């Protein structure tokens, strides 16, 4: 019903009717009892602002206050009417309960409705006489149903699509009622045009669905958890005392010595469970999960009402007939078609403000979703209790990952400090900084660039040693083993959580969820069957085949190839920018400008890469979702896995392509002086610095990693939600100024939650952490401080995500899960790839192998003296190609005959001048040998770590076995009890039979009926 319609409320039947004499109800006519039949009683919506009495306590309807205002009564009279009853919102706990204040709201359905012309006509007639009010009564067959108007011609003016949606809602809600759910509708809200359907699952429905879903519930049986003894017990007690200040103050986080035995719920075995408090036996998370399963399973096969005419009506009739055959039109389809605009469970209450009742949401906000508790452990059990296992596992994984970053950060800092301590003792960098060596280097570009002294690159060489030293090799091996240990540690932690959360033996339920079709898939199948029906073909058991999906597969393949090509093209464009900018800055007349060319070009190019990566990240996320949608996967699980694969592939290529270029391609295909490689016949390929490309790789990695984390965390995850919240606040403030009294009233819980952002899944959260895991492991040889920056980011990230889930998102439907799914396989893949990439970085990007080769093959005194000269080749300036020689050959103050460049080539005075020398092949062989040895050695060590650490902790396996034994004992005792009861009955039967036989014959004959009844006793039992 609309705002202009007349709403009626019943008064007790004993009340008089007719014009009321009291001043509070001056001029208001009452309807007699016989005019308010049962359909009207259930159909008329009760204005919750004035009454929340149950239907059975109401007798006669009176006109709603808004209709009174339309008729012409003053506002103060309505206020007096309102003051007669207490605030119903407090009884209903502001939307957490039905109007009776007893039945809890387990789920909310939200829909849009438009104001019909019928309502306006009704309001106008109400101003003329009461008879029109009585004749315009409306009928609603069930609470929570839509309003079916019988206004004749006014119906034809209603929007056909809105009318069809309304009747679909009516049918669907009727089916929900048939399924056992209880509904209550509310359109009298502060949000105009939005209606809410409140859903409550009664006890019998909860029991039935819990049995269907095989939900494990705690039984009365409790058992002692095995405790450590001796030295381990003392160590654990000491650790508990030390860590007590960083433990969250929640009951679920305290160590437990006893545990309740869990068993899949069964209505036949209710005596096993503790049902003393039925209201709290199924918590809010479980209740919402059960209701959501019913919503998915309940179908809406057709619309009861059609306003179409002609050809459109024929098509609609065919579609509705087909829907009747399909019989699949659940809540996912209704949401996709706009019949409902949202569906969500309610939060437990407010998390801030005065006089807020204690609830799990408030506790989570204080002990978890606050930056002030960043140093504390997460209350994972409470997170699972409130949000479900899937979200609980994400935060548990994030916590384990963050904890494991602590030792990696400490070792990384030690490696960095080792580089700082030994920089003054590094002989190669000392030789490069020694101006007495007077090494003249060849120009970095054609014509405009002149000769330069190697000592001018002293700062770069010294900085390179901070990250290019023997300790980085050790750190690479350490990080490979760290990744393997982290994966094993997580598997063990996951198993402990499965035991604590009663998720052992969960596979059957997973299979059932996996087979549930998505709304889009059902719509596509419906469309296909309609096409076949039009061609008069058999349409039973339709499904989508690879032929139906072939255009989508082709689009996916072409789209992904195009996106990857686009990423490569952007990286190539940045390379052109670097080359052209370096040439332009080299023309600069100022010496300071010429000396800072390399730093300026590198910094600006990395910033451009960062901006492009962040923009393309968002674009690729949307494209990956679109590509997955056109594939029309059958189930939500298939959809999620395909989306993750595409998004990860595109974002991985986007984030790491610039880094791969610097690490493995820059400076490899330059050529030599006199025979350089050119792009577009004008741009010369860029070279690495004299100290190698490792320093530039470090700069690239650090800026992209830090910039991506800071911008995405601060701008996207903090700034944008705060901006949206501020916009909503401004809109609310504007509305308050227009309707002060209405907006002074406290909002209902479902209205507040509707204004929150909908939950979009965990894929973005996981993706962000997986990309960061790649930064930490893939190129850690070039940036040992990466784990430290990841640790600092994650400390903030945990609280940021927690705050978002608790305060800014609608409560998601709890989903049961045993593990983190496909993300575990992606992590393992990145861990394996990291070993290979770090082997190539150490071998080909750093100077570690050339130094070893020189030290053991070419050094005269067993030291690194002469290494720099050994890595440089000579070039005769007279061999420059025409037009490529420097314009100012006397820039250094003297004429240059021989210049040096970094490569292993024959000198100009050799017979095979400028050919690749034997030293190059010796170094290349050593590099390849190192890659093979390093990769296999580290892989073997990782597999050894994987093998030596059991996936299931020993104490957990013992506890699981103990649970099985105890459960068998419980059932054995139950069977023994039944047998004893049967034996008792048999003994009683025997005694009664003997008593009957001991009677006299006369008595026996006269009371044969009693004897027969004695013998028939067991049959009766």
């Amino acid at each position: 019903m609309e705002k202009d319609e007349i709403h009626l409320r019943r008064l007790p039947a004993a009340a008089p009717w007719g014009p009321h004499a009291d001043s509070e109800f001056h001029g208001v006519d009452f309807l007699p009892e016989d005019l308010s039949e049962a359909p009207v009683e259930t159909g008329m919506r009760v204005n919750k602002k004035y009454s929340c009495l149950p239907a059975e306590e109401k007798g006669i309807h009176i006109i709603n206050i808004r209709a009174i205002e339309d008729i012409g009564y003053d506002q103060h009279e309505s206020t007096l009417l309102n003051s007669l009853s207490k605030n119903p919102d407090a009884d209903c706990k502001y939307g957490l309960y039905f109007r009776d204040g007893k039945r809890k709201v387990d789920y909310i359905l939200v829909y849009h409705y438009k104001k019909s012309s019928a309502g306006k006509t009704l309001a106008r007639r109400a101003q003329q006489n009461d008879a029109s009010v009585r004749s315009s009564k409306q009928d609603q067959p069930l609470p929570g149903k839509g309003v079916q108007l019988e206004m004749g011609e006014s119906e034809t003016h209603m929007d056909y699509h809105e009318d069809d949606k309304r009747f679909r809602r009516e049918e669907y809600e009727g089916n929900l009622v048939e399924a056992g759910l209880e509904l209550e509708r509310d359109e009298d809200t502060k949000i105009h045009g939005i209606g809410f359907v409140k859903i409550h699952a009664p006890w019998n429905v909860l029991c039935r669905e819990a049995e269907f879903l095989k939900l494990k519930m705690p039984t009365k049986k409790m058992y002692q958890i095995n405790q450590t003894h001796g030295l381990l017990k003392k160590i654990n007690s000491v650790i508990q005392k030390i860590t007590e200040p960083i433990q969250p103050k929640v009951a679920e986080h305290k160590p437990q010595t006893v545990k309740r035995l869990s068993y899949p719920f069964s209505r036949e075995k209710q005596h096993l469970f503790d049902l003393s408090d039925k209201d709290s036996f199924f918590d809010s998370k479980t209740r919402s999960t059960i209701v959501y399963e019913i919503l998915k399973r309940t179908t809406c096969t057709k619309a009861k009402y059609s306003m179409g005419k002609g050809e459109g009506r024929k098509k609609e009739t065919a579609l509705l007939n087909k829907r009747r055959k399909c019989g699949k039109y659940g809540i996912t389809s209704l949401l996709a078609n706009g019949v409902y605009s949202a569906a969500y469970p309610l939060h437990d209450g407010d998390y801030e403000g005065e006089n807020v009742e204690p609830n799990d949401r408030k506790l989570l906000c204080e002990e978890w979703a606050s930056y002030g508790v960043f140093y504390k452990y997460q209350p994972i059990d409470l997170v699972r209790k409130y949000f479900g296992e899937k979200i609980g596992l994400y935060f548990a994984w994030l916590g384990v990952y963050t904890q494991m970053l602590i030792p990696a950060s400490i070792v990384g800092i030690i490696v960095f400090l080792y580089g700082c301590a030994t920089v003054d003792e590094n002989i190669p960098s000392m030789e490069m900084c020694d101006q007495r060596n007077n090494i003249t280097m060849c120009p970095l570009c054609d014509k405009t660039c002149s000769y330069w002294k190697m000592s001018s690159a002293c700062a770069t060489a010294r900085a390179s040693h901070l990250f290019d030293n023997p300790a980085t090799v050790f750190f690479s091996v350490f990080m490979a083993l760290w990744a393997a240990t982290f994966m094993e540690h997580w598997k063990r932690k996951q198993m402990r959580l499965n035991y604590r959360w009663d998720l052992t033996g969960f596979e059957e339920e997973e299979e059932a969820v996996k087979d549930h079709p998505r709304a889009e898939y059902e719509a596509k199948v419906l469309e296909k069957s309609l096409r076949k029906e039009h061609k008069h073909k058999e349409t039973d058991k339709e499904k989508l085949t690879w032929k139906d999906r072939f255009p989508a597969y082709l689009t996916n393949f072409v789209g992904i190839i195009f996106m990857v090509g686009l990423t490569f093209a952007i990286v190539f464009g940045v390379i052109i920018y670097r080359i052209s900018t370096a040439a332009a800055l080299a023309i600069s007349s100022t010496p300071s400008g010429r000396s800072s060319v390399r730093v300026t070009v590198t910094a600006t190019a990395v910033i451009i890469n960062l901006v492009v990566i962040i923009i393309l990240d968002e674009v690729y996320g949307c494209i990956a979702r679109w590509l997955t949608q056109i594939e029309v996967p059958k189930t939500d699980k298939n959809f999620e896995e395909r989306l993750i694969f595409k998004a990860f592939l595109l974002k991985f290529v986007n984030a790491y392509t610039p880094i791969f270029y610097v690490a493995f391609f820059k400076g490899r295909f330059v050529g030599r002086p006199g025979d350089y490689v050119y792009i577009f016949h004008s741009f010369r390929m860029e070279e690495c610095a004299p100290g190698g490309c490792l320093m530039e790789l470090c700069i690239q990695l650090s800026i992209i990693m830090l910039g991506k984390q800071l911008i995405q965390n601060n701008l996207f995850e903090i700034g944008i939600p705060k901006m949206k919240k501020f916009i909503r606040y401004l809109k609310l403030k504007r509305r308050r100024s227009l309707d002060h009294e209405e907006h002074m009233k406290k909002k209902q819980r479902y209205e507040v939650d509707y204004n929150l952002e909908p939950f979009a899944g965990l894929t973005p959260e996981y993706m962000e952490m997986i990309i960061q895991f790649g930064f930490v492991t893939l190129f850690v040889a070039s940036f040992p401080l990466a784990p430290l920056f990841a640790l600092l980011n994650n400390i903030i990230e945990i609280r940021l995500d927690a705050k978002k889930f608790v305060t800014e998102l609608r409560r998601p439907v709890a989903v049961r899960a045993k593990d983190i799914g496909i993300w575990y396989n992606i992590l393992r893949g990145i861990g394996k790839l990291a070993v290979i990439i770090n082997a190539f970085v150490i071998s080909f990007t750093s100077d570690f192998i050339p130094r070893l080769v020189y030290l053991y093959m070419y050094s005269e005194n067993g030291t690194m003296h002469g290494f720099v000269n050994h890595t440089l080749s000579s070039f005769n300036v007279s061999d420059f190609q025409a037009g490529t020689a420097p314009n100012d050959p006397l820039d250094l103050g003297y004429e240059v005959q021989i210049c040096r460049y970094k490569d292993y080539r024959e000198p100009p005075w050799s017979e095979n001048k400028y050919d690749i020398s034997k030293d190059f092949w010796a170094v290349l062989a050593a590099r390849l040998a190192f890659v093979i040895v390093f990769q296999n050695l580290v892989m073997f060590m990782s597999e050894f770590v994987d093998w030596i650490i059991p996936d299931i902790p020993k104490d957990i396996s013992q506890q699981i076995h103990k649970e099985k034994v105890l459960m068998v004992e419980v059932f054995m005792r139950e069977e023994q009890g039944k047998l004893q009861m049967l034996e008792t009955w048999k003994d009683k039967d025997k005694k009664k039979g003997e008593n009957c036989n001991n009677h006299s014959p006369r008595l026996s004959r006269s009371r044969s009926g009693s004897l027969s009844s004695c013998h028939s006793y067991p049959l009766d039992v």
Side-chain angles (χ1 to χ4, degrees):
M1 297 180 71
E2 313 301 330
K3 281 195 173 181
D4 292 339
E5 295 182 50
I6 295 180
H7 306 303
L8 303 177
R9 175 169 66 85
R10 284 205 141 198
L11 288 180
W17 63 278
H20 204 281
D22 293 340
S23 60
E24 289 86 355
F25 300 95
H26 178 68
V28 181
D29 288 340
F30 291 84
L31 300 181
E33 179 73 314
D34 58 346
L35 291 180
S36 301
E37 301 297 330
V40 182
E41 179 183 338
T42 57
M44 295 302 176
R45 177 166 52 82
V46 182
N47 187 355
K48 60 180 173 54
K49 184 174 180 181
Y50 306 113
S51 174
C52 62
L53 296 172
E56 61 271 11
E57 296 179 18
K58 301 167 189 172
I60 299 176
H61 289 278
I62 66 166
I63 299 174
N64 187 301
I65 193 65
R66 286 180 298 186
I68 293 175
E69 291 171 2
D70 291 338
I71 293 172
Y73 294 108
D74 294 333
Q75 183 67 32
H76 73 276
E77 295 180 71
S78 67
T79 306
L80 289 171
L81 179 61
N82 187 24
S83 66
L84 292 177
S85 61
K86 63 178 181 178
N87 183 12
D89 294 345
D91 293 340
C92 308
K93 292 195 177 178
Y94 296 98
L96 287 174
Y97 287 81
F98 276 21
R99 294 189 185 103
D100 57 13
K102 298 176 182 177
R103 292 172 292 171
K104 188 174 183 180
V105 177
D106 297 319
Y107 218 88
I108 291 291
L109 300 179
V110 187
Y111 60 91
H112 291 271
Y113 64 91
K114 290 185 178 179
K115 189 177 292 185
S116 65
S117 59
K120 295 178 182 178
T121 306
L122 191 58
R124 285 196 299 270
R125 289 182 182 180
Q127 296 178 8
Q128 297 171 3
N129 53 56
D130 296 309
S132 63
V133 176
R134 298 186 183 95
S135 65
S136 301
K137 290 189 298 181
Q138 302 172 9
D139 182 24
Q140 269 187 327
L142 285 172
K145 288 281 184 179
V147 181
Q148 184 175 354
L149 297 174
E150 296 182 3
M151 293 297 297
E153 296 178 358
S154 64
E155 283 187 351
T156 60
H157 300 293
M158 295 181 67
D159 184 25
Y160 162 63
H161 296 291
E162 292 299 320
D163 192 58
D164 184 58
K165 287 179 182 178
R166 192 180 78 243
F167 278 97
R168 286 187 199 174
R169 288 197 295 269
E170 284 186 7
E171 183 196 359
Y172 183 69
E173 290 163 14
N175 292 340
L176 291 179
V177 172
E178 289 176 8
L181 297 179
E182 298 176 3
L183 310 181
E184 188 175 77
R185 183 185 296 275
D186 183 11
E187 291 180 358
D188 184 19
T189 63
K190 294 168 70 175
I191 309 174
H192 178 66
I194 300 293
F196 296 90
V197 177
K198 296 174 276 187
I199 301 176
H200 168 76
W203 172 254
N204 60 330
V205 174
L206 293 172
C207 294
R208 182 191 72 205
E209 297 298 321
E211 185 173 349
F212 290 165
L213 295 174
K214 299 179 181 177
L215 295 179
K216 275 193 170 183
M217 303 303 294
T219 63
K220 296 176 183 176
K221 175 69 175 176
M222 301 181 74
Y223 68 94
Q224 193 79 18
I225 298 176
N226 292 340
Q227 300 294 321
T228 55
H229 300 285
L231 182 61
L232 284 177
K233 185 176 182 180
K234 292 180 180 178
I235 293 173
N236 287 338
S237 63
V238 170
I239 292 174
Q240 285 179 8
K241 288 179 181 178
I242 294 173
T243 59
E244 189 175 354
I246 59 175
Q247 300 290 345
K249 298 176 182 177
V250 296
E252 286 79 1
H253 199 78
K254 294 177 181 177
Q256 297 178 345
T257 56
V258 293
K259 185 179 185 291
R260 285 188 179 274
L261 197 62
S262 295
Y263 184 73
F265 187 82
S266 173
R267 287 172 289 181
E268 294 179 357
K269 293 182 170 57
Q270 287 193 29
H271 58 276
L272 294 177
F273 304 95
D274 183 10
L275 303 180
S276 57
D277 185 5
K278 291 185 177 181
D279 291 337
S280 62
F281 182 73
F282 295 105
D283 57 16
S284 59
K285 170 201 56 132
T286 308
R287 296 176 71 99
S288 63
T289 303
I290 288 173
V291 173
Y292 182 64
E293 288 298 323
I294 298 175
L295 293 176
K296 285 196 298 183
R297 191 176 66 233
T298 305
T299 56
C300 172
T301 56
K302 62 184 183 297
K304 297 179 181 176
Y305 180 73
S306 178
M307 291 293 294
K309 292 183 179 181
E311 190 65 30
R313 185 164 185 171
K314 289 179 182 177
K315 290 181 180 178
E316 183 68 17
T317 304
L319 183 65
L320 295 177
N321 289 335
K322 195 64 202 172
R323 279 180 190 150
R324 291 188 193 104
K325 293 179 184 179
C326 291
K328 297 255 185 191
Y329 216 68
I331 187 61
T332 51
S333 301
L334 295 172
L335 287 169
N337 291 321
V339 178
Y340 291 102
S341 58
Y344 52 88
L346 291 179
H347 280 292
D348 278 357
D350 292 327
Y351 60 90
E352 60 182 358
E354 297 180 0
N355 303 322
V356 175
E357 292 185 6
N359 57 72
D360 287 343
R361 189 187 187 195
K362 185 174 186 294
L363 188 59
L364 282 172
C365 188
E366 293 171 352
E367 292 295 328
W368 181 52
S370 172
Y371 295 110
V373 293
F374 72 92
Y375 59 91
K376 287 188 177 184
Y377 285 102
Q378 299 182 85
I380 292 298
D381 291 326
L382 185 59
V383 174
R384 172 252 179 181
K385 178 186 173 186
Y386 193 78
F387 290 110
E389 285 80 6
K390 193 170 185 179
I391 293 175
L393 281 173
Y394 163 70
F395 282 103
W397 173 82
L398 185 55
V400 169
Y401 172 46
T402 305
Q403 285 178 7
M404 289 294 291
L405 282 172
I406 295 174
S409 303
I410 293 171
V411 177
I413 293 171
I414 293 172
V415 169
F416 179 73
L417 293 176
Y418 171 81
C420 295
T422 58
V423 68
D424 293 328
E425 301 172 4
N426 184 39
I427 295 174
S429 61
M430 291 169 63
E431 287 184 348
M432 288 182 67
C433 295
D434 192 357
Q435 297 184 0
R436 294 173 296 178
N437 289 336
N438 199 26
I439 299 175
T440 304
M441 303 296 291
C442 295
L444 295 173
C445 60
D446 293 342
K447 291 186 180 181
T448 55
C449 298
S450 185
Y451 305 106
W452 56 285
K453 291 284 188 181
M454 177 173 259
S455 57
S456 64
C458 175
T460 306
R462 288 173 64 85
S464 295
H465 178 73
L466 300 177
F467 306 100
D468 186 5
N469 56 69
T472 56
V473 180
F474 158 76
F475 191 55
S476 299
V477 177
F478 171 82
M479 287 304 294
L481 298 178
W482 172 87
T485 308
F486 162 59
M487 300 305 294
E488 290 304 308
H489 179 44
W490 165 243
K491 279 198 289 188
R492 291 169 64 84
K493 176 70 172 178
Q494 190 172 256
M495 201 62 217
R496 287 186 182 278
L497 293 177
N498 284 341
Y499 164 71
R500 262 168 39 201
W501 297 349
D502 299 319
L503 291 172
T504 51
F506 173 63
E507 286 72 20
E508 295 88 1
E509 197 272 341
E510 274 188 330
E511 293 298 321
V513 173
K514 225 189 298 182
D515 294 333
H516 186 79
R518 296 173 61 247
E520 292 79 1
Y521 179 84
E522 291 174 351
K524 203 76 175 176
V525 169
L526 176 63
E527 184 183 335
K528 179 182 177 181
S529 57
L530 284 174
R531 283 200 307 266
K532 285 197 172 184
E533 190 181 65
H534 184 68
K535 296 177 182 178
H536 306 289
K537 293 183 179 180
E538 190 65 33
T539 59
D540 289 340
K541 295 183 180 179
E542 282 296 335
K543 63 179 182 179
L544 297 184
T545 62
W546 69 268
K547 292 181 181 178
D548 300 318
R549 290 193 173 104
F550 180 75
Y553 289 153
L554 184 62
T555 306
N556 269 262
F557 179 76
V558 174
I560 290 175
I561 294 296
F562 174 76
M563 292 301 135
V564 172
L566 175 65
T567 304
F568 288 161
I570 290 172
V571 172
F572 184 73
V574 174
I575 293 170
I576 299 297
Y577 161 80
R578 292 161 69 117
I579 295 170
S580 57
T581 306
L585 291 176
I587 307 174
S588 174
S589 57
T590 60
S592 61
R594 284 197 297 271
S595 63
S596 61
V597 166
R598 194 179 296 276
V599 176
T600 305
V601 169
T602 300
T604 54
V606 172
I607 292 171
I608 292 172
N609 274 328
L610 173 63
V611 173
V612 169
I613 286 171
I614 291 173
I615 294 173
L616 287 183
D617 250 6
E618 302 302 315
V619 174
Y620 286 169
C622 298
I623 290 174
R625 181 168 288 276
W626 176 74
L627 289 175
T628 310
Q629 285 172 346
I630 63 173
E631 276 188 73
V632 197
K634 183 176 181 180
T635 64
D636 288 327
K637 187 176 179 64
N638 290 340
F639 180 87
E640 186 180 23
E641 288 180 350
R642 295 186 185 195
L643 173 63
I644 288 169
F645 174 75
K646 293 181 184 66
F648 174 74
L649 178 63
L650 292 175
K651 293 190 176 188
F652 183 88
V653 172
N654 179 45
Y656 295 113
T657 300
I659 301 173
F660 270 94
Y661 164 72
V662 174
F664 302 121
F665 297 100
K666 184 178 179 182
R668 310 289 173 195
F669 312 102
V670 177
R672 60 170 180 82
D675 188 21
Y676 283 114
V677 177
Y678 290 91
I679 303 174
F680 305 131
H681 303 288
S682 56
F683 295 107
R684 206 172 94 186
M685 288 294 290
E686 56 181 344
E687 304 175 43
C688 288
C693 280
L694 196 70
M695 185 61 200
E696 190 170 340
L697 175 62
C698 174
I699 295 172
Q700 184 107 0
L701 185 66
S702 59
I703 291 180
I704 290 178
M705 179 182 176
L706 296 177
K708 197 169 182 294
Q709 289 180 352
L710 289 174
I711 292 176
Q712 283 189 336
N713 284 353
N714 293 322
L715 181 61
F716 294 161
E717 294 195 29
I718 298 177
I720 292 178
K722 285 191 178 297
M723 186 173 67
K724 288 181 179 179
K725 193 174 181 180
F726 181 69
I727 292 172
R728 287 197 297 267
Y729 169 75
L730 291 179
K731 288 182 180 178
L732 183 63
K733 193 175 180 182
R734 193 180 299 116
R735 285 178 183 174
R736 281 177 179 171
S737 61
L738 295 175
D739 192 354
H740 179 72
E741 183 190 351
E742 180 69 16
H743 285 275
M744 284 301 289
K745 184 176 71 173
K746 185 177 179 181
K747 277 189 176 183
Q748 301 295 307
R749 178 78 263 152
Y750 43 84
E751 294 179 79
V752 176
D753 286 3
Y754 178 72
N755 289 327
L756 299 176
E757 292 292 317
F759 175 61
L762 288 170
T763 301
E765 314 298 335
Y766 272 115
M767 189 68 68
E768 183 182 345
M769 290 295 104
I770 296 296
I771 296 295
Q772 185 205 80
F773 183 77
F775 281 123
V776 168
T777 55
L778 292 180
F779 297 95
V780 74
S782 63
F783 190 40
L785 295 179
L788 174 64
F789 290 114
L791 173 64
L792 297 175
N793 173 79
N794 287 5
I795 290 173
I796 301 172
E797 180 73 20
I798 289 175
R799 307 303 164 180
L800 181 67
D801 285 348
K803 198 172 186 66
K804 181 169 67 176
F805 272 83
V806 173
T807 65
E808 295 173 4
L809 295 180
R810 292 177 192 160
R811 188 174 184 177
V813 180
V815 178
R816 289 195 292 170
K818 277 187 79 171
D819 49 43
I820 59 175
I822 193 175
W823 296 110
Y824 182 81
N825 298 327
I826 292 176
L827 285 168
R828 283 189 67 88
I830 291 177
K832 303 291 185 187
L833 184 62
V835 177
I836 301 170
I837 289 179
N838 279 306
F840 277 94
V841 167
I842 294 169
S843 183
F844 285 89
T845 309
S846 74
D847 281 339
F848 178 73
I849 299 301
R851 286 172 186 165
L852 285 181
V853 171
Y854 176 78
L855 187 63
Y856 292 107
M857 290 181 64
Y858 299 103
S859 177
E860 296 178 357
N861 53 8
T863 64
M864 292 301 295
H865 287 288
F867 170 74
V868 174
N869 188 58
H870 177 75
T871 58
L872 298 176
S873 299
S874 301
F875 178 74
N876 193 330
V877 297
S878 61
D879 293 331
F880 272 121
Q881 290 181 350
T884 61
N887 293 333
D888 186 10
L890 299 176
D891 185 55
L892 293 178
Y894 56 87
E895 186 178 356
V896 177
Q897 298 294 331
I898 299 293
C899 65
R900 310 294 297 274
Y901 61 98
K902 190 169 184 178
D903 206 347
Y904 291 100
R905 291 182 180 270
E906 297 290 342
W909 51 84
S910 172
E911 292 181 2
N912 303 316
K913 64 177 183 178
Y914 308 132
D915 284 352
I916 294 174
S917 65
K918 292 184 294 183
D919 298 344
F920 172 82
W921 298 112
V923 171
L924 180 62
R927 282 174 163 163
L928 292 175
F930 176 83
V931 169
I932 294 170
V933 172
F934 181 89
Q935 176 185 332
N936 286 282
L937 178 64
V938 175
M939 287 283 192
F940 170 76
M941 295 170 69
S942 299
E943 292 298 328
F944 180 74
V945 169
D946 192 354
W947 172 76
I948 202 172
I949 301 176
D951 293 347
I952 304 176
K954 187 177 179 181
D955 60 324
I956 296 299
S957 60
Q958 290 174 350
Q959 298 289 0
I960 294 173
H961 177 70
K962 186 176 180 180
E963 276 197 352
K964 291 179 180 178
V965 172
L966 287 173
M967 188 54 67
V968 170
E969 287 180 4
V970 168
F971 286 119
M972 289 297 291
R973 286 175 186 170
E974 188 176 351
E975 291 299 320
Q976 288 173 1
K978 289 179 180 176
L979 289 173
Q980 288 176 0
M981 192 177 296
L982 287 173
E983 291 292 335
T984 305
W985 286 347
K986 286 180 180 179
D987 291 341
K988 288 181 179 179
D989 180 36
K990 268 187 180 181
K991 289 178 181 178
K992 288 186 178 181
E994 289 174 359
N995 291 336
C996 292
N997 290 332
N998 289 334
H999 288 312
S1000 62
R1002 181 179 55 81
L1003 188 61
S1004 299
R1005 284 193 299 269
S1006 65
R1007 300 184 62 181
S1008 60
S1010 300
L1011 182 62
S1012 63
S1013 66
C1014 288
H1015 288 292
S1016 65
Y1017 174 76
L1019 295 176
D1020 294 338
V1021 172

